[in-house]
Structures are given as structure tokens and as C-alpha cells.
Amino acid sequence: MTASVFFGCTFIAFGPAIALFLFTIARDPLRVIFLIAGAFFWLCSLLLSSLVWFITVQISNKESSSQQKGLLIFGVVLSVLLQETCRFGYYKLLKKANEGLLMLSAEETMPISIRQLAYVSGLGFGFMSGAFSMVNILADSVGPGTTGIHGDSQHYFLSSAFMTMAIILLHMFWGVVFFDSCEKQHWWSLAVVVISHLLVSCLTFQNPQYVGSLVPTYIIVFLVGLWAFFCSGGSLRNLKLCLTCKDKDFLLANHRPR
Amino acid sequence: TCVQCLGDGNTSLQKLATSIVFFFCLSDVSCNSVEQKIYVELNNTVPCVRLLNATHQIGCQSSISGDTGVIHVLESEEDLEWPLSKGPNPPYMVLLESSLFTRSIMMKMKNESNRVAGVAVVVPNTSPPEFSPHTTCPNENTGVYSDNYGPNLAHCNTTVWNPRGNGLSYEEFDFPVFSLKEDNETEFIKQCYLDHNRAVNGSAPQYPLCAMQLFSHMHAVTNTPTCMRRNDINFSINPEMVCDPLGDYNVWGSIRPYNDTVFGHKENESVVIAAARLDSRAFFWEVSTGAEGSVSGFVTLLAAAQALREVTHEAPPTRNILFAFFQGETFDYIGSSRMVYDMENGKFVIDLDNIHSVLEIGQVALHSGNNLFLHSDPVSRRNNTVNDVVKNLVNNLQSSTAGLGFLLVEPNVSQPLPPSSLQRFLRAQPIPGIVLADHESAFNNRYYESFYDNAANLNLTYPSDLSPEEQLEFVTHTAESLTDVATVVARALYKQAGGDESRVNTIKADPKIVTQMLYGFLVSSNNSWFQAVMAPELKNILKPSPPEYYVGVAMSSTPTRLVQYLLANLTGAATNLTQSQCQKPDELPNESRQMYSYLWVQGIVPPNSTERDSFCVRASVRLTKAVSPAFELGEYASKDYSTWTESRWKFIKARIFLVASRDLEMLTLGVGVAVLFTSLLVTYFISTKADVLFSSTREPASAAY
């Protein structure tokens, strides 16, 4: 649809992720490394799930559309489960790496905490997932045409961009909650993460009724975001302090040597 | 096909889909599911391309990234107001029915070309009453008539040959013009227009609107000297060519063979030349059927050549007869000017002084009132010697029509010659000649040089229940009348060449051969007879549709090859040579490649086998290069010779899609920028206050943030 739509959709989809990367990750090389490793793990999960999909589609009956639809649902569920499995695998790897890093390093404290790792790995998952969701759509949005000549909705690009933004944010929140519940061995919260991921992915089957898929997704983003905020040490009191600019006093009052 | 292009399920599915689309689409060329949601490619389109000559450029041009316009189906000439002034969403892509493809509409659009992005013309299966995009006076500057030679006859002052011509082919348009067939694609386009682009009760139509994009960017500009100069720029290892000269090969054959290595004047050699032209053109590129314009002429000449074969073997005439088929005559006489140039410079087997007379076959298939006309040049006939030879030729022609039901008449007034190759011979030297045509003054052809000059123009109809093979053999009325003309031509040529008078009445053209040729040249070139006469390596040029008669730049046009092989088969002799002997005949004692050409042809399939009976044909049929002398001499601005070139291009395609309003696009950009700024602000806020925000449940073990 032209360059304005291309840039608009890029900024919508990747705006928060770029902002987060610029302000929190770009300065610390260790965080960058773990971000990219997280992206790689997501990619591995996608590779596995696409292999399974490819094989099942080849042996299926290409003509029957109900079988294809069933295969689609199966593929989505499998992909979600594999992504969460890879997230768990990454968690285990990071725990081991942390012990190793501690042994090697001269300092007594760990260079990067597990909470920061949770955030960084979640964002890594989100980046890669967003890229795969959005890049081919962005490439076609540069041309002069928009969707609709075969009856599709006109708002395809816009809703894809919003959905991608939601997914990136969700991956980041899921990362935080997931690692936290693995640390505290709260297996039920792990299950909630997986179920919410499944829910969001299956909501996309509502497309092209974009209202039906985007609104519940954003409600879930808000809820999971709140949960991640509380998991990572936030509280209503801190929020009020920050917003009313009383935090300077708070810091002075709670000053501790680092 | 893409299995996963089911169009629903966005995120995880999209990820799955994109990652394995590549696997599925290794064999499929365009399997991008998002692109398929947006664009519909149009496959059966023909563009109009740019041609250049010494002083002008003609044809159409698009911008390098295609021209996009909102589709508007034109209903009448008054409706032009909408795209040109009233419509609120310029630029428009105007879709015309063929009845509206007129000079006035195209000129109005040319003048307002900032609101017109392009034009698409729907070409129907039935022809309109008349349509000729050529000029009214074809080839007026390169014929023989000029201010020095018959000034009152020049520039069609006495006779306008093509009065229906609207000159569209010679106009320059700076927007692309494409042609569409009347098929499902065009129906889809019109449906898209009706669904999205119609204004309801005078109000503007709502976005999204249906639009079309046409790509036909031409590299050459201005004129031939400019583009030939740019061809020669040697900036890089791969120089970019921008244009190519039009040209192909002329086909010639003779009764008595000539040694192909001995050029120039031949003592005591007197030749009668029988000429016809091979090519034609249309407004759109390469789509030219030239039924009356060229096919009628050269088919008659081929049939006459075949009719003369037997009698010239048994009782050879005193003079030689040379059959010449000129290519590129539409574009300022490329082929005939080249042959005359070769004769003048001693590069052809005979020269101009060897020519006794010329008989040219023009457009002969549409005779109304059972008369054909013998046109001659009044200026050269003022010389008595020339006049006597012409009168003799007229007599020979008129006496050959005995018993055939039509008459040959000389036109009443002192008229110039119609556009014909004979004019180029007369430019060099006063040579007696006659042009045989079915029109007394203006052409009878209502579709001269247009895409409607097809089999229907000649009333070539076959009964509906015949299979293609049966249609090939069926003798139509058109074929019968052309056979009679061919008989007259053959007899007249024999008499003109000084043959034995008593044998003249045995000369008869074969209607079966004529009807097979008409079928092959106007209906389907891939038939069993054409397959039998062609070489095995050339059988791929035969298609189920008629061949294209545009001269082109590739030097390999189908009609030239077909006429070469047909002339060889109809006038030559089958030999017993094997295939390897056919390629090297000089090793055999009686065969000589200098005197004859040896062609290995496929032959027919015998009834009880699958292998073809291929054999070697020996004929005195040659090809000579038909590229304008202007390019040999490097005189790209020449006024004497044809300087036509065709531009080059990278790709030509057309597609339709919906366009969204500018407001929606700007809104998207605005929302995007707003989201980016908001997230930058919020992230900055959070990251600076991170200590405070995430301070509770701080564990002693993991301190550093």
C-alpha cells in the first residue's frame, strides 16, 4: 500500500520492542548476547514444529478442507507447546550457565540476575516471533495495492501489526512469569502461561473478524503484563511513588550500599 | 498449489506458513500468499511499444515503476469528462471498448495525460465496421513520388489510398496502452469496477477503489540517431543496448538457378521479377494478421510459382523469372530498398539493368465486381520504351484471364502507383512494372494494418462440423478466387518471360495448395502440411494460431521461414540424398551448393508408421538480409532509406488490485509514529525508575540491576 503504510505498520509492530531494546538492552553486551540466544531458541522450536507440519501435510489428503483445517489447529497447538518447551530448555541452560559464569568470574556476585535473564530471553523470543509474523506482510505492504480484491478485509496490514505488537509484549511477559515460576517451583503458574499462549494463538482463528481476536488478545496482554509486573518485584505502592515523583525521597531513605 | 493459503489464522500460523512456504514453493513460481490476496496478474495482455525513426518516436511509454490508475470503464465519448475533469480520484486508467478506440478519444486523453495513467482496449472477437490505425498515405516519404518526381502525385494529392486511416499507430503517447481479450480476466476487471468504482447518485465513489497498474517502460527515446548513439556507449563490460533496427530476411527464388557467389551485372541476362510483400503491422506489438494486406499477395505468388514449375521444366522460357518476397515493407520498404541497394552496389546476383519488367501482387483478395486492376506509374511511362514494355505486360495479363470469370482493367485516371515495392525500383531506375490489386483507387481493405485484418476479413469460413485436418483440405471460396488470380499471374509471367504460347493454357494453379496455405497462414500454422514441409529443427515455430506478420528485430520471423520452405517445396525437386549428404552436397558430383540450396524437410507420416519420411529438397531459393541500408551505411538520419528501430524493454506486465485512500495510509503512519513515541517515552520512564518500580522482594543473593 505504499511507504507510509510500510513505516506505519513497522512502527506499530516493532515500536515497543525497539524502545525496550534501545533503552534497556543495547548498552549491556551481555544482555544483547542473551537476547540473541533467546531468539535462536525460538527459531529452533519453529524449525521442529515446521518439520512436523511439513511431514503431516505431505501425508494428508490435500483435497479435503476439513482435514486441512484440523491439521492447522494441530499445527498451532504443537507449535505453542514446542515454543514453551524450548523456553523451559533455555531456562535450564541459563541456570547451568549462570553457575559456570559465577565460577569463572572474579567477582562474587553474578553479572546478570535470573530475573533480568527472564526479561531478556522473553524479549528475544518476542523479536524473532514478531519478525516471522510480520516481515513478509511488510514486504508486500510497500506495493501500491491493498488486500481486498478477493473479498478479504481491508484492515489486514493494520491488524497484523497490532497482533504482532501484542505477541511481542506477551512473549516478554511470559518469559518473566515463566522463569519466576520455575525458580519458585510454582507449576500451576507455568500451566497458566502455556494455556494463555494457546488461548491467544487460537484466538487468531477468529480472523478476519479482527475485533474478535484483537480485543481479547489485548485484554490478555494487560492481565499477563500486570502479573509479570508483580512477579518481577513491582507493587502498587512503588507505582504510586513513581507516578507522583516521590521516588527520590524513597531512594534516599532506602539507600543501601551496592 | 499452496496448501496453507487458507486465509485465516494469523500469528502462529503465519509463522508456520512462512517457514515452510519455501519448501512447498520450490516448484511453484509465485506462491506468496499475501501477494495473492492483493494482486491479480493479467496474463493475456499485449502492449503498444515504442518505435523510432530518423526524426520521431511513436508508440507508448510507461514510467519505470509502472503507471497506476483507478479503473474507469468508458461508456461513451461524453463520459470522458469523468476521467479528464470531473472525477475526484485521478489519475484514471481508462478501459475502452473497441468501438470507442477512436482518434478523437485518444487525442483528448493524450492532451490531458496528467489525469490519465493509461488505457486498456478490449479487443472483441467480431470486427467493427472499419478500423485502420495506419496513416492515410502509407510510406509517403520513401516511395518514388516526391517534389522531383511527379509532384502532383506525391503525398496522395490525387488518390488517398487509405482514407479510413486514423493515424493512431504513428502517434506518440506518454502513457501505456494495453490490449485485453474478451475473456474471463476482462470480465473480472469489469466486475471489480462495478463493485468498487461506480459513483452512486453523483457522489464520489468510496475507497477502496479498484486500480490497474501497467508496466511497459521503453528504454529508447527521441529518435533513431539518439538511440543508436546510446547503443555504442562503452561504459561497462556489458553495454546496455536501447534499441534494435527492424529487419529480417527477404526470400527469393528463380526458375533458372544463379550462382550465389557471382554478383553484379550478368551479360545477356534478362529477368522478370514477380514480387509480393510478407509483413504487416498493427497498433499493438506483434499482433498482426495481415490477411488482405500481405497474406493474399504472397499466397497468390507462391501458388503461381508452383503452377509454373512443370511448364518451365519442360519448355523453359527465354527470360528468367525471379520470385521475390520482401520483408519489412510496412516500415518504409525495408526489404525492397535493401535489395535495390544491393543491386546498385553489385552485391546481388543480378543488377538493375538485368531487370526486364516487374509484376507485383498487392492486395488481391477483396475484389468487388469481379475486376482486378493493373496499376502502373504514369511518370515512367512517358518514356516510350518503358511504355511499350508496360503495354505488352498489360496485354499478357489481360489475355491470361480467358475463361476465368473476371477481367483485368487499367484504372481510368492518371493515377500514381499504390504503396508497393515497385516504387523503390523506380526510384533507382525507370523500370516497367505493374502492380496487381483489387482496388481501383482507395483500398477495399477496411482494416489496413490493424488487428482486425484476419481470416474473417477475407470471409474465410469453414463448415462448423469439420475437424482441423478436414478444414485444412476444404477448398473455400476465397481459395478458389485466389487460385484464379494465381493462374492469371502464372500465365502472364510465362508469356512475359517469352515462353511457348501453346503451353500457356496448361498452366493452372492448384486450389488445394492455395486453400492449405490460407489455412496455415490465417487459421493455424501447426497443421500436417506445414509440418511436412518444414525442417525438423524449426517445427517449434508452428503454433495452433496464425503466425505474426510483424517484421520484428530478432531476424527469425515465422512467415519468412514458412515462405522459404514452401517456395522450396513448391518449386524445387525432391532428391535421394541422405541427411548428411544434404548438409554437404558439394561432395557429390552433380550437386552444388552455389547453385542451389539444400533443405532437409520432415515430410509426411505414412499411414502405417510413426516415423516421418524426411527427405532433402533441392531448390534455387535463397534468403538475403533485409535490414535497411541506413544501418549498413551508418546514416541513421537518412531521408532516403527506412530508419525504423524498435526500443528495448526489461519487462512488460499488468495487474489489478484495490487501492486504499490516502487518509487511511496517513492514519496508519500517524498511529505508527504515535505508538513509537509513546513506547519510547514509557520505556525511558520505566528504565530510569526501574530501581523503585521493581524494588520489593529484592533478594540479597541477586543484587545488581
Side-chain angles (χ1 to χ4, degrees), chain B residues 465-536:
Chain B
D465 52 345
L466 294 182
S467 72
E469 280 306 308
E470 287 166 359
Q471 281 181 355
L472 177 68
E473 311 269 315
F474 180 79
V475 180
T476 54
H477 288 302
T478 322
E480 281 172 356
S481 81
L482 280 184
T483 313
D484 290 339
V485 179
T487 306
V488 169
V489 167
R491 288 180 184 172
L493 282 174
Y494 187 66
K495 283 190 268 193
Q496 186 74 359
D500 183 0
E501 284 284 337
S502 60
R503 294 192 173 246
V504 169
N505 288 335
T506 61
I507 302 176
K508 278 201 176 58
D510 187 354
K512 195 147 158 296
I513 291 190
V514 173
T515 195
Q516 282 178 326
M517 282 198 285
L518 283 178
Y519 182 80
F521 283 115
L522 293 175
V523 181
S524 162
S525 59
N526 192 13
N527 54 63
S528 56
W529 189 51
F530 275 18
Q531 284 167 0
V533 302
M534 286 301 282

Side-chain angles (χ1 to χ4, degrees), chain B residues 181-422:
Chain B
K181 293 205 191 96
E182 236 179 20
D183 57 4
N184 288 341
E185 263 180 11
T186 315
E187 272 315 303
F188 184 76
I189 298 173
K190 289 188 188 162
Q191 191 59 41
C192 185
Y193 166 76
L194 288 171
D195 290 337
H196 295 103
N197 292 11
R198 292 276 252 175
V200 179
N201 289 340
S203 64
Q206 296 287 333
Y207 275 98
L209 295 174
C210 198
M212 195 187 317
Q213 186 176 34
L214 300 177
F215 294 83
S216 67
H217 180 70
M218 302 286 139
H219 293 326
V221 282
T222 323
N223 54 30
T224 296
T226 309
C227 85
M228 294 304 283
R229 186 187 72 228
R230 291 181 186 179
N231 277 350
D232 288 335
I233 294 178
N234 287 329
F235 275 148
S236 66
I237 300 176
N238 299 333
E240 280 268 322
M241 303 278 282
V242 293
C243 69
D244 301 291
L246 289 179
D248 193 52
Y249 290 97
N250 293 326
V251 181
W252 69 267
S254 55
I255 306 269
R256 287 201 302 263
Y258 286 114
N259 189 331
D260 202 30
T261 53
V262 178
F263 295 142
H265 186 78
K266 294 211 158 42
E267 285 300 323
N268 299 332
E269 183 78 14
S270 179
V271 181
V272 177
I273 294 188
R277 82 170 214 214
L278 280 178
D279 71 316
S280 72
R281 71 163 299 192
F283 181 79
F284 297 104
W285 181 58
E286 241 192 19
V287 176
S288 46
T289 42
E292 158 79 341
S294 52
V295 174
S296 63
F298 73 74
V299 162
T300 309
L301 191 56
L302 281 171
Q306 189 272 334
L308 281 173
R309 170 159 96 180
E310 215 180 281
V311 74
T312 50
H313 278 155
E314 292 170 12
T318 36
R319 300 193 184 96
N320 202 353
I321 306 178
L322 190 135
F323 302 101
F325 298 85
F326 295 116
Q327 190 53 286
E329 297 297 276
T330 319
F331 291 101
D332 289 338
Y333 306 119
I334 298 177
S336 52
S337 66
R338 181 54 185 263
M339 184 171 274
V340 171
Y341 173 81
D342 286 344
M343 284 183 185
E344 281 175 326
N345 291 298
K347 293 185 190 149
F348 194 64
V349 292
I350 55 171
D351 87 343
L352 289 167
D353 296 321
N354 290 123
I355 302 179
H356 175 260
S357 48
V358 174
L359 172 62
E360 180 168 345
I361 325 281
Q363 308 179 63
V364 291
L366 291 178
H367 38 131
S368 52
N370 289 332
N371 279 348
L372 287 170
F373 298 93
L374 305 172
H375 297 267
S376 55
D377 170 44
V379 177
S380 62
R381 278 179 85 169
R382 293 186 199 143
N383 177 323
N384 283 332
T385 351
V386 171
N387 196 23
D388 290 337
V389 179
V390 172
K391 282 212 258 203
N392 190 26
L393 180 51
V394 168
N395 275 338
N396 285 338
L397 280 162
Q398 286 174 332
S399 56
S400 307
T401 62
L404 282 174
F406 61 89
L407 293 177
L408 293 175
V409 175
E410 283 192 84
N412 287 336
V413 286
S414 159
Q415 260 191 153
L417 280 176
S420 52
S421 318
L422 175 58

Side-chain angles (χ1 to χ4, degrees), chain A residues 23-39:
Chain A
F23 283 121
T24 58
I25 297 186
R27 290 207 198 147
D28 190 346
L30 208 53
R31 292 186 191 182
V32 174
I33 292 171
F34 284 117
L35 179 93
I36 294 179

Side-chain angles (χ1 to χ4, degrees), chain A residues 53 68 76 115 146 201 207 233, chain B residues 3 10 12-13 20 658 696 705:
Chain A
W53 164 270
Q68 296 302 317
V76 168
R115 196 174 287 163
T146 184
S201 288
N207 293 337
Chain B
V3 170
N10 220 339
S12 319
L13 237 49
I20 39 175
L658 295 186
S696 54
Y705 269 117

Side-chain angles (χ1 to χ4, degrees), chain A residues 1-2 11 42 53 68-69 72 76 115 129 136 140 143 145-146 148 154 158 163 201 204 207 232-234 238 247, chain B residues 3 8-13 15 18 20 32 34 39 208 657-658 664-665 668 672 689 692-696 705:
Chain A
M1 251 166 75
T2 61
F11 292 155
W42 187 89
W53 164 270
Q68 296 302 317
K69 180 116 181 151
L72 220 53
V76 168
R115 196 174 287 163
S129 164
N136 70 324
D140 282 316
T146 184
Q154 226 206 116
L158 210 53
M163 195 56 158
S201 288
T204 63
N207 293 337
S232 57
N238 294 345
D247 51 315
Chain B
V3 170
D8 57 8
N10 220 339
T11 48
S12 319
L13 237 49
K15 298 173 213 164
T18 46
I20 39 175
N32 178 343
V34 180
Y39 303 108
F657 43 86
L658 295 186
L664 187 62
E665 296 176 6
T668 313
K689 314 255 173 140
V692 178
L693 273 177
F694 302 110
S695 61
S696 54
Y705 269 117

